Amino acid sequence: VGVEPLSVSQVGGAVLSVATVLAYAATRSWATNNLIALAIVVQIMQLIRFQSIPVALALLAGVFFYDAYWVFGSDVMATVATSLDVPAKIVFPHADASASLLGLGDIVLPGLFAAQLLLFDRRNQQPTAASSNPDPHDAEQWRDKPYFTAALASYALGLVAAIFCNNYFDAPQPALVYIVPSLLIAVGGTAVFRREVTDLWSHRPPPPPSKDSLQ
């Protein structure tokens, strides 16, 4: 079996990836940390999908209580987040040399839920077999997306609430404790308003694209 030659984009991506990792290893800077962390988030979002809305809700409910317990009931989460020097979090530096942290789980899990809602929005526009694997470059088909818009706005609102409480109480806050209720209220309210609760509950997204299609 012959080996296909690497494309220019693949070589360029490999060089940039190695350079970023080496820069992070040498400097431990917040900028290179965030680049690697965001790359991990993008890769996870490309390769994983929830099987259904009930599965997504069960997982979000689980991480809600998990986050609340390990932040409010123990200092383990805060200790690990501040002491673990790996790109498993997004770092927001402050002028006084301190920093705020956002764990990748606070991005990935709500992001996977929002991605599933985006697929549901798209299916509602074109409920045909041909629309099961949407073309991400076709802007027309993504125009009307009420559930994704609700998820995005509510995620931002939950994150703002977490930041406010973090500054007000001057103590670590579990971001998902604010993000998850905000997401569920906004998405649930949208489903009730549009009379699509049953349809949304039974939605099964198509499988994620193969590895070859992402290259």
Side-chain angles (χ1 to χ4, degrees), residues 24-104:
Y24 172 73
T27 66
R28 286 295 195 268
S29 73
W30 65 267
T32 52
N33 173 91
N34 289 356
L35 282 174
I36 297 172
L38 289 174
I40 294 172
V41 169
V42 170
Q43 188 70 9
I44 293 174
M45 295 286 292
Q46 285 183 322
L47 297 177
I48 297 177
R49 283 182 188 168
F50 289 135
Q51 294 180 345
S52 65
I53 291 295
V55 170
L57 294 180
L59 184 57
L60 288 174
V63 296
F64 170 87
F65 290 107
Y66 176 88
D67 222 18
Y69 174 78
W70 287 109
V71 174
F72 292 140
S74 170
D75 62 353
V76 172
M77 190 75 77
T79 302
V80 171
T82 54
S83 62
L84 196 61
D85 192 13
V86 295
K89 55 188 178 290
I90 303 296
V91 180
F92 301 94
H94 299 166
D96 61 357
S98 63
S100 297
L101 309 176
L102 183 65
L104 297 194

Side-chain angles (χ1 to χ4, degrees), residues 2-15 18 211-212 215:
V3 178
E4 294 184 3
L6 296 175
S7 66
V8 174
S9 62
Q10 288 173 323
V11 174
V15 172
V18 172
K211 183 178 179 182
D212 292 338
Q215 295 178 352

